[in-house]
Amino acid sequence: MTNLDGKALAAKIKKRVRGEASALPRRPGLAVVLVGNDPASRVYVTSKRKDCEECGFYSEEYALLEETTQAELIELVESLNKRENIDGILVQLPLPAHLDEDAVIGAIDPAKDVDGFHPMNAGNLLIGRPGFLPCTPAGIMDLLEEYGIETAGKRAVVVGRSNIVGKPMALLLLRGNATVTVCHSQTPDLGECCRQADILIAAVGRRGLITPNMVKTGAVVVDVAMNRDENGRLCGDVDYAAVCEKAAYLTPVPGGVGPMTRAALMENTLLAAKRRQNLA
Ligand code: NAP
């Protein structure tokens, strides 16, 4: 079994991004907006700042109070839309319950939507036009490519159908000419579906969901999930130790998809900066 080492590839990508960014007339700029005190979100925002430093990007961080109003948040997004030196705007999700996520994402200029969540970018992905790809599925496609894993003609099964992971993942695999099945909480026999997969993507958020009897021998298994075990350690949906024995390729958690998501955000921000400087 080969480990799909996202950590190593992410480091390689960030090095390349840094080189390309330094050759631009103006360095890429990313604004990250955090509302409230969610500890996991804080960790993500800090890691994004570090990634920006590593890539030589300019970055700004806005830590807004939990009680920030919808109007205040939209006003901030609109002011960032107008800023010349800001190429990417990322509003960290989830937002506190009183805020309307769809409206906030919809307020971001699609040309600066480096998360790829704006309906315009989601639509462009659907119809195969250029835009921004959501970072997690884009990072997974990069990882498959790095290891020479063909998607064309393969049977791919995606477990999970969220707008940020499952659905765009399925569309990218389809774009890569795989035959794609999407499973979700109403799928009657998940094991039977998963066993068909040459490429199995688990994006649910339920520890131990994917057991070895659900995996075809020699399959490529990508574990997107970030769960915590009883000791607080990060783990995925896949029973890693047991599935190792059957899969040909498997992503570790941590060190698989997580770092690739972060690297893809840096790639999207570089792309936004190039496009805004008419260089892409
Ligand atoms: P989400 O919005 O909660 O979606 C979970 C999906 O799993 C839903 O489509 C749900 O089906 C499906 N599901 C739930 N129980 C199921 C079951 N028993 N069998 C089959 N499908 C089931 O989650 P998400 O935002 O896509 O994230 C999924 C996981 O990936 C989470 O652990 C999250 O932390 C992680 N994540 C990791 C990264 C990274 O960079 N590594 C990035 C994003 C997310 P229904 O639609 O029917 O409810």
Side-chain angles (χ1 to χ4, degrees):
M1 193 279 302
T2 303
N3 242 330
L4 295 171
D5 188 345
K7 196 173 167 195
L9 178 56
K12 203 164 117 181
I13 290 171
K14 284 191 273 184
K15 200 169 163 205
R16 175 181 51 75
V17 167
R18 184 184 177 88
E20 288 187 39
S22 68
L24 293 179
R26 179 180 56 69
R27 64 180 171 150
L30 177 69
V32 179
V33 180
L34 172 67
V35 187
N37 306 310
D38 180 53
S41 292
R42 278 201 175 279
V43 172
Y44 296 144
V45 169
T46 304
S47 61
K48 281 162 191 161
R49 188 203 313 139
K50 283 193 196 141
D51 290 336
C52 284
E53 281 166 17
E54 236 180 281
C55 292
F57 292 2
Y58 170 73
S59 74
E60 283 181 2
E61 223 172 276
Y62 294 85
L64 307 183
L65 295 174
E66 179 88 20
E67 45 282 2
T68 300
T69 65
Q70 179 81 8
E72 286 165 339
L73 182 54
I74 299 267
E75 197 186 331
L76 171 62
V77 168
E78 285 175 347
S79 73
L80 292 169
N81 282 342
K82 293 189 195 120
R83 289 270 305 282
E84 197 50 43
N85 64 340
I86 295 296
D87 299 294
I89 302 169
L90 186 148
V91 178
Q92 186 66 49
L93 302 180
L95 290 172
H98 68 281
L99 296 170
D100 178 349
E101 278 184 6
D102 287 345
V104 173
I105 291 166
I108 297 172
D109 178 351
K112 296 190 176 188
D113 169 41
V114 287
D115 245 345
F117 295 164
H118 190 285
M120 181 83 88
N121 284 314
N124 281 334
L125 168 60
L126 183 72
I127 61 176
R129 287 210 187 146
F132 289 107
L133 300 176
C135 298
T136 299
I140 292 169
M141 294 304 283
D142 286 346
L143 194 56
L144 297 181
E145 195 188 337
E146 173 74 6
Y147 282 83
I149 296 165
E150 277 284 342
T151 53
K154 300 285 176 60
R155 274 189 169 270
V157 173
V158 180
V159 190
R161 57 171 165 181
S162 71
N163 290 335
I164 62 169
V165 186
K167 283 183 206 161
M169 186 74 246
L171 288 168
L172 285 180
L173 288 162
L174 190 60
R175 190 188 270 190
N177 296 317
T179 301
V180 184
T181 303
V182 181
C183 300
H184 45 78
S185 67
Q186 306 292 306
T187 300
D189 190 345
L190 185 64
E192 180 53 31
C193 272
C194 291
R195 273 190 294 280
Q196 309 290 319
D198 302 309
I199 300 172
L200 176 62
I201 314 278
V204 172
R206 191 180 281 209
R207 183 181 159 217
L209 180 74
I210 306 294
T211 50
N213 64 332
M214 299 164 83
V215 175
K216 180 162 129 178
T217 302
V220 177
V221 181
V222 175
D223 194 349
V224 181
M226 293 197 293
N227 310 309
R228 296 273 168 193
D229 69 10
E230 58 278 352
N231 302 313
R233 275 194 302 256
L234 207 56
C235 60
D237 287 343
V238 177
D239 178 351
Y240 182 88
V243 169
C244 265
E245 305 293 322
K246 284 191 91 177
Y249 295 89
L250 178 56
T251 55
V253 179
V257 176
M260 290 307 300
T261 299
R262 290 169 52 181
L265 175 66
M266 297 297 105
E267 288 191 290
N268 274 353
T269 306
L270 174 68
L271 180 62
K274 284 184 178 172
R275 285 180 178 157
R276 294 186 64 253
Q277 295 176 65
N278 296 320
L279 297 167

